[in-house]
Amino acid sequence: MPEALIYDAVRTPRGRGKSDGSLHEVSTLGLATTALKAIRERNNLDTHLVDDVILGCVDPVGEAGGDIARISALTAGYGDHVPGIQINRFCASGLDAINFASAQVMSGQHEMTIGGGVESMSRVGIGASGGAWPVDPTIAIPAYFMPQGVSADLIATKYGFSRDDVDAYAVESQKRAGRSWDEGRFAKSVVPVKDINGLTILAKDEHMRPTTDMQSLASLKPSFVMMAEQGGFGAVAMQRYPEIEALNHVHHAGNSSGIVDGAAAVLIGNADAGKAAGLKPRARIRAFANIGSEPAIMLTGPVDVTKKVLKRAGMSIADIDLFEVNEAFASVVLRFQQAFDVPGDRINVNGGAIALGHPLGATGAMILGMALDELERSGKSTALITLCIGAGMGTATIIERI
């Protein structure tokens, strides 16, 4: 079976997902085009070698709809022959796009592909594409639907994480992100977003607040109390988990992932395609997996899928040098760390979505690129990338530096 080799990974900086964010003026198409164009230009890539472009996008409606992958490939200067497809597995869409692209190469059906993702959360709001899960009682009731923030508080309550625990984790994420920018750790992969005149709109992640401390976070009120109490979702949580007497509300804007805009792309191919393009591989895809997890607590999928992907790869936790666990909420990462007894200095070493933001469809591709850069910087060998997913799922990928 051909190996799926990673030849390059790029991402835009993450702009605040609000009307005053730097990337608000840039369309979803513009963000995706920036990432794909960077892959083409940085590698002097003959796009006749590219068999497919797969992009994750969680809310593919309006300007983000209509198969954003195909349209952005055209605007990025790829040949007319290059097809594209948009996929959606909620927050893991960008990582699954890479996995799907890798599977095409590993199966021998394609030789070179691109996987990635895009989300303009300031222009296309969360949930804009709708869906039955939260509103149709035929699924919402039996699945014990509750908003993710309530589920995050449920995890903290069930597994014993205090307000100080989640706030301390958030502070560390901010410090690590700030240090990474100061030390130039993101310079290899972040490509600036420019306007039509070639002037830079944004060159650095703008959501992070490296000076965050425990005192500043202590002033923030929990965000999901009203949903739980007045919305009735706290009762749903305790109905599904009757051992919980009351929810401990610990999450707020400062220890939850930020709403941001951004895009990312990863170039994948077999050995022959890389040689034809004159490229050297940076890493290989060792294994990937998806899994469903209990949908009410929802966000524990990274634990379940990590067990699955390690078994598939014939590896153990001790074989993984670095972990990227998406910081949807602080309790998600703390539960992962607790489940596997992984030291904190091996998880999200350059900060995560609490500090940098979580551009839904793009995040998985972004954190895989971060893991690849860190493997090269630190001289380490293997990384596992995983994300929790809406409706109770998990996706994970193991890469190995070459």
Side-chain angles (χ1 to χ4, degrees):
M1 185 173 66
E3 285 191 313
L5 304 173
I6 300 173
Y7 289 98
D8 199 13
V10 302
R11 72 171 178 92
T12 68
R14 292 176 241 203
R16 285 192 306 274
K18 299 180 179 180
S19 59
D20 61 351
S22 295
L23 296 181
H24 177 64
E25 66 182 88
V26 183
S27 68
T28 307
L29 176 60
L31 292 176
T33 298
T34 296
L36 292 179
K37 187 176 181 181
I39 286 285
R40 178 177 65 81
E41 293 181 344
R42 281 164 50 120
N43 298 285
N44 193 27
L45 183 63
D46 178 359
T47 61
H48 283 85
L49 297 172
V50 179
D51 293 306
D52 206 358
V53 174
I54 306 174
L55 295 183
C57 184
V58 173
D59 282 296
V61 296
E63 68 177 47
D67 192 355
I68 191 70
R70 166 63 172 169
I71 304 307
S72 56
L74 292 174
T75 56
Y78 288 60
D80 292 350
H81 66 284
V82 179
I85 184 171
Q86 172 271 325
I87 66 168
N88 177 15
R89 200 193 301 271
F90 299 138
C91 297
S93 299
L95 186 59
D96 253 324
I98 294 169
N99 294 343
F100 286 18
S102 299
Q104 291 178 333
V105 171
M106 295 164 77
S107 69
Q109 301 306 303
H110 289 338
E111 294 188 348
M112 180 170 281
T113 56
I114 294 173
V118 62
E119 210 80 41
S120 178
M121 300 179 75
S122 70
R123 297 170 65 96
V124 182
I126 297 175
S129 56
W133 170 45
V135 296
D136 187 332
T138 63
I139 179 60
I141 293 173
Y144 296 90
F145 169 78
M146 63 187 80
Q148 286 193 357
V150 179
S151 294
D153 283 342
L154 175 58
I155 291 172
T157 304
K158 181 174 175 61
Y159 293 102
F161 305 128
S162 67
R163 172 68 183 260
D164 282 349
D165 291 334
V166 293
D167 281 358
Y169 181 86
V171 169
E172 184 63 21
S173 179
Q174 294 282 2
K175 288 181 178 178
R176 291 181 179 188
R179 178 197 63 197
S180 296
W181 270 107
D182 291 343
E183 295 181 359
R185 296 189 184 187
F186 298 143
K188 187 172 185 176
S189 297
V190 174
V191 294
V193 179
K194 298 182 179 182
D195 64 15
I196 59 173
N197 298 311
L199 300 176
T200 296
I201 297 173
L202 185 66
K204 183 178 180 180
D205 297 312
E206 69 174 348
H207 179 269
M208 60 181 185
R209 297 177 175 84
T211 59
T212 298
D213 56 25
M214 293 292 286
Q215 289 70 33
S216 61
L217 292 186
S219 66
L220 300 178
K221 295 182 179 180
S223 297
F224 306 107
V225 176
M226 185 175 295
M227 288 182 182
E229 295 182 355
Q230 296 184 21
F233 293 110
V236 174
M238 287 178 279
Q239 187 178 32
R240 179 63 183 86
Y241 290 90
E243 70 272 23
I244 303 297
E245 295 183 0
L247 285 178
N248 183 19
H249 294 287
V250 298
H251 288 92
H252 49 75
N255 56 36
S256 307
S257 55
I259 295 173
V260 293
D261 305 332
V266 177
L267 180 63
I268 299 161
N270 63 26
D272 289 341
K275 289 178 182 178
L279 302 175
K280 292 183 179 180
R282 297 172 61 187
R284 61 174 56 88
I285 302 289
R286 282 287 302 267
F288 52 83
N290 299 97
I291 202 168
S293 60
E294 200 282 298
I297 204 166
M298 195 186 319
L299 307 175
T300 56
V303 174
D304 301 322
V305 78
T306 292
K307 295 175 182 177
K308 182 176 181 179
V309 77
L310 288 172
K311 182 178 180 180
R312 178 165 293 171
M315 302 173 74
S316 69
I317 283 289
D319 296 321
I320 305 298
D321 297 315
L322 297 171
F323 297 86
E324 285 289 336
V325 182
N326 186 40
E327 295 175 354
F329 300 90
S331 64
V332 173
V333 186
L334 292 177
R335 172 56 191 149
F336 184 93
Q337 186 175 352
Q338 180 190 67
F340 296 110
D341 195 24
V342 178
D345 60 4
R346 291 169 59 193
I347 301 179
N348 300 345
V349 298
N350 292 312
I354 290 173
L356 299 169
H358 177 18
L360 303 182
T363 303
M366 286 185 169
I367 63 177
L368 183 141
M370 288 171 62
L372 175 57
D373 285 346
E374 182 60 21
L375 288 178
E376 292 175 337
R377 187 196 71 82
S378 63
K380 291 182 169 62
S381 178
T382 57
L384 187 150
I385 301 95
T386 185
L387 301 92
C388 61
I389 307 172
M393 293 183 282
T395 296
T397 305
I398 298 173
I399 65 172
E400 180 181 25
R401 182 174 65 89
I402 295 176

Coordinates of all heavy atoms in Angstrom, one line a residue, residues 3-6 281-287 315 319 321 372 375 380-385 397-402:
E3 N 2.5 4.8 0.8 CA 2.4 5.7 1.9 C 1.8 7.0 1.6 O 2.0 7.6 0.5 CB 3.8 5.9 2.5 CG 4.4 4.7 3.3 CD 5.7 5.1 4.0 OE1 6.5 5.8 3.4 OE2 5.8 4.8 5.2
A4 N 1.1 7.6 2.5 CA 0.7 9.0 2.4 C 1.7 9.9 3.1 O 1.8 9.9 4.3 CB -0.7 9.2 3.0
L5 N 2.4 10.7 2.3 CA 3.5 11.5 2.8 C 3.0 13.0 2.8 O 2.4 13.4 1.9 CB 4.7 11.4 1.9 CG 5.2 9.9 1.8 CD1 6.4 9.9 0.7 CD2 5.7 9.3 3.1
I6 N 3.4 13.7 3.9 CA 3.1 15.1 4.0 C 4.3 15.9 3.4 O 5.4 15.8 3.9 CB 2.8 15.5 5.4 CG1 1.6 14.7 6.0 CG2 2.6 17.0 5.6 CD1 1.4 14.9 7.5
P281 N 9.5 14.8 1.4 CA 8.5 14.6 2.4 C 9.0 15.0 3.8 O 10.1 14.9 4.1 CB 8.2 13.1 2.4 CG 9.5 12.5 1.9 CD 10.1 13.5 0.9
R282 N 8.0 15.6 4.5 CA 8.3 16.0 5.9 C 7.9 15.0 6.9 O 8.4 14.9 8.0 CB 7.7 17.4 6.2 CG 8.2 18.5 5.3 CD 7.4 19.8 5.4 NE 7.5 20.3 6.8 CZ 6.7 21.3 7.2 NH1 5.9 21.9 6.4 NH2 6.9 21.7 8.5
A283 N 6.8 14.3 6.6 CA 6.3 13.3 7.6 C 5.4 12.3 6.8 O 5.1 12.5 5.6 CB 5.4 14.0 8.6
R284 N 5.0 11.3 7.5 CA 4.1 10.3 6.9 C 2.9 10.1 7.8 O 3.0 10.3 9.0 CB 4.8 8.9 6.7 CG 5.3 8.3 8.0 CD 5.8 6.9 7.7 NE 6.9 6.8 6.7 CZ 8.2 7.0 7.0 NH1 8.6 7.2 8.2 NH2 9.1 6.9 6.0
I285 N 1.8 9.8 7.2 CA 0.6 9.4 8.0 C 0.7 8.0 8.5 O 0.8 7.1 7.7 CB -0.7 9.6 7.2 CG1 -0.8 11.0 6.6 CG2 -1.9 9.2 8.0 CD1 -1.1 12.1 7.6
R286 N 0.8 7.8 9.8 CA 0.9 6.4 10.3 C -0.4 5.7 10.5 O -0.5 4.5 10.1 CB 1.6 6.5 11.7 CG 3.1 6.7 11.7 CD 3.8 5.4 11.3 NE 3.5 4.3 12.1 CZ 4.3 3.9 13.1 NH1 5.3 4.6 13.5 NH2 3.9 2.8 13.8
A287 N -1.4 6.5 10.9 CA -2.8 5.9 11.1 C -3.8 7.0 11.4 O -3.4 8.1 11.8 CB -2.7 4.9 12.3
M315 N 0.6 0.8 18.5 CA 1.4 1.7 19.3 C 0.7 1.9 20.7 O -0.4 1.5 20.9 CB 1.6 3.1 18.6 CG 2.2 3.0 17.2 SD 2.2 4.6 16.4 CE 3.5 5.5 17.3
D319 N 4.6 5.7 23.0 CA 5.2 5.8 21.7 C 5.0 7.2 21.0 O 5.6 7.5 20.0 CB 4.7 4.7 20.7 CG 5.1 3.3 21.1 OD1 6.2 3.1 21.6 OD2 4.2 2.4 21.0
D321 N 5.3 11.2 21.0 CA 6.1 12.2 21.6 C 5.3 13.5 21.9 O 5.5 14.1 23.0 CB 7.2 12.6 20.7 CG 8.2 11.5 20.4 OD1 8.6 10.8 21.4 OD2 8.6 11.2 19.3
L372 N 3.4 19.1 13.2 CA 4.5 18.8 12.3 C 5.7 19.8 12.5 O 6.8 19.4 12.6 CB 4.0 18.9 10.9 CG 5.0 18.7 9.8 CD1 5.8 17.4 9.9 CD2 4.4 18.9 8.4
L375 N 7.5 18.9 15.8 CA 8.3 17.7 15.7 C 9.6 18.1 15.0 O 10.7 17.6 15.5 CB 7.6 16.6 14.8 CG 6.4 15.9 15.4 CD1 5.8 14.9 14.4 CD2 6.8 15.1 16.7
K380 N 11.7 15.6 17.6 CA 11.0 14.5 18.0 C 10.4 13.7 16.8 O 10.5 14.2 15.7 CB 9.9 14.9 19.0 CG 10.4 15.4 20.4 CD 9.3 15.7 21.3 CE 9.8 15.9 22.7 NZ 10.8 17.0 22.8
S381 N 9.8 12.6 17.1 CA 9.4 11.7 16.0 C 7.9 11.6 15.7 O 7.5 11.7 14.5 CB 9.9 10.3 16.3 OG 9.6 9.4 15.2
T382 N 7.1 11.4 16.7 CA 5.7 11.1 16.4 C 4.7 12.1 17.2 O 5.0 12.6 18.2 CB 5.3 9.7 16.9 OG1 5.6 9.6 18.3 CG2 6.1 8.6 16.1
A383 N 3.6 12.3 16.5 CA 2.6 13.2 17.1 C 1.2 12.6 16.9 O 1.0 12.0 15.8 CB 2.6 14.6 16.6
L384 N 0.3 12.7 17.8 CA -1.1 12.3 17.7 C -1.9 13.6 17.8 O -1.8 14.4 18.7 CB -1.5 11.3 18.8 CG -2.8 10.7 18.7 CD1 -2.8 9.3 19.3 CD2 -3.9 11.5 19.4
I385 N -2.8 13.7 16.8 CA -3.7 14.9 16.7 C -5.1 14.4 16.9 O -5.5 13.5 16.2 CB -3.5 15.6 15.3 CG1 -2.0 16.1 15.2 CG2 -4.4 16.8 15.2 CD1 -1.2 15.1 14.4
T397 N -5.4 11.3 14.3 CA -4.4 11.0 13.3 C -3.0 10.9 13.9 O -2.7 11.8 14.8 CB -4.4 12.1 12.2 OG1 -5.7 12.2 11.6 CG2 -3.4 11.7 11.1
I398 N -2.2 10.0 13.6 CA -0.8 9.8 14.0 C 0.1 10.1 12.8 O -0.1 9.5 11.8 CB -0.5 8.5 14.6 CG1 -1.4 8.2 15.8 CG2 0.9 8.3 15.0 CD1 -1.3 6.7 16.3
I399 N 1.0 11.0 13.0 CA 2.0 11.3 12.0 C 3.4 11.0 12.5 O 3.6 11.1 13.8 CB 1.9 12.8 11.5 CG1 2.3 13.8 12.7 CG2 0.6 13.1 11.0 CD1 2.4 15.2 12.2
E400 N 4.3 10.7 11.6 CA 5.7 10.4 12.0 C 6.6 11.3 11.1 O 6.5 11.3 9.9 CB 6.0 8.9 11.8 CG 7.4 8.5 12.1 CD 7.7 7.1 11.9 OE1 7.0 6.5 11.0 OE2 8.6 6.5 12.5
R401 N 7.5 12.0 11.8 CA 8.4 12.9 11.1 C 9.4 12.0 10.3 O 9.9 11.0 10.7 CB 9.2 13.8 12.1 CG 10.2 14.7 11.4 CD 10.8 15.7 12.5 NE 11.6 14.9 13.4 CZ 12.9 14.7 13.3 NH1 13.5 15.1 12.2 NH2 13.6 14.0 14.2
I402 N 9.8 12.5 9.1 CA 10.8 11.9 8.2 C 12.1 12.7 8.3 O 12.0 13.9 8.1 CB 10.3 11.8 6.8 CG1 9.0 10.9 6.7 CG2 11.4 11.3 5.9 CD1 8.4 10.8 5.3

